[in-house]
Amino acid sequence: ETLLTQSPATLSLSPGERATLSCRASQSINTYLAWYQQKPGQAPRLLIYDTSNRATGIPARFSGSGSGTDFTLTISSLEPEDFAVYYCQQRNNWPLTFGPGTKVDIK
Amino acid sequence: QVQLVQSGAEVKKPGSSVKVSCKAAGGTFSTYSLGWVRQAPGQGLEWVGRITPFVGLTKYAEKFQGRVTITADKSTGTAYMELTSLRSQDTAVYYCASYDSNGYLDYWGQGILVTVSS
């Protein structure tokens, strides 16, 4: 099973600041990585797929990069609605696995 | 756009089974697969398994093998997940989600809280 680790566990930032979230895989996953956003009491929402492609309706301030084992989600300028938990997920190796999440909260 | 509507919350005793449903709005599945993901209280996301309704193919996470069965009724556009031999650690919100053409989970149901308690 491919383990995903995310850092930091919590990121405390102010609106307007840049957020950089990291996801590391225990083995190569090529570029088959997605990012999801989850707000309290809601289902996850797909943000980014295949490392760097934004899902339908996702604002351009969200971007992804990386390959192999190291990946990054960047939110260029945090909006109030972006404070949430972010999960990475790989589909290169069976079974599909998720990272433990990074919480982005308001400083 | 796919809308997935899940059944209501369940409270079960340890050792019992639960069967939850996920209905595609409009009554038809997309071409792709449907998966189940669970989230224990305050915890992260855990993949349970998937089904490809049009061919009836299922795959389960090794952790749940032997305890989980995912089925689908194509005529009603409804998928089901049954989990047996419930224990307290199975207390979680269970989500169904559709796979998109890229193999990711693009549309999610609202989730079902399953509580296992004596």
Side-chain angles (χ1 to χ4, degrees), chain A residues 32 36 38 50 87 91 94, chain B residues 39 60 95 102-105:
Chain A
Y32 295 117
Y36 297 83
Q38 187 179 34
D50 286 347
Y87 295 95
R91 71 164 192 85
W94 191 87
Chain B
Q39 185 171 39
Y60 305 120
Y95 294 102
N102 300 296
Y104 297 100
L105 300 163

Side-chain angles (χ1 to χ4, degrees), chain A residues 2-3 5-6 10 17-18 26 29 31 37 39 43-44 50 56-57 66 70 72 77 88 92 100:
Chain A
T2 300
L3 296 180
T5 55
Q6 292 187 243
T10 303
E17 288 194 293
R18 183 183 188 88
S26 61
I29 57 171
T31 57
Q37 176 194 67
K39 297 179 181 179
D50 286 347
T56 304
D70 290 298
T72 300
S77 178
C88 57
N92 186 71

Side-chain angles (χ1 to χ4, degrees), chain A residues 31-34 36 38 41-46 49-51 87 89-91 94-96 98-100, chain B residues 37 39 43-47 59-62 65 95 99-100 102-111:
Chain A
T31 57
Y32 295 117
L33 185 98
Y36 297 83
Q38 187 179 34
Q42 296 185 18
R45 176 174 73 145
L46 179 65
Y49 66 92
D50 286 347
T51 296
Y87 295 95
Q89 174 245 308
Q90 67 82 26
R91 71 164 192 85
W94 191 87
L96 174 163
F98 292 91
Chain B
V37 174
Q39 185 171 39
Q43 302 300 309
L45 302 167
E46 182 175 34
W47 184 75
K59 294 196 89 170
Y60 305 120
E62 201 170 310
Q65 283 278 2
Y95 294 102
Y99 280 79
D100 65 12
N102 300 296
Y104 297 100
L105 300 163
D106 59 348
Y107 295 106
W108 295 63
Q110 81 276 19

Side-chain angles (χ1 to χ4, degrees), chain A residues 24-82:
Chain A
R24 178 164 288 178
S26 61
Q27 59 186 292
S28 177
I29 57 171
N30 296 297
T31 57
Y32 295 117
L33 185 98
W35 291 92
Y36 297 83
Q37 176 194 67
Q38 187 179 34
K39 297 179 181 179
Q42 296 185 18
R45 176 174 73 145
L46 179 65
L47 297 176
I48 300 283
Y49 66 92
D50 286 347
T51 296
S52 59
N53 297 289
R54 282 188 300 278
T56 304
I58 302 304
R61 63 181 181 273
F62 291 93
S63 64
S65 63
S67 68
T69 60
D70 290 298
F71 300 86
T72 300
L73 173 70
T74 301
I75 310 171
S76 58
S77 178
L78 282 162
E79 296 289 338
E81 62 268 27
D82 298 337

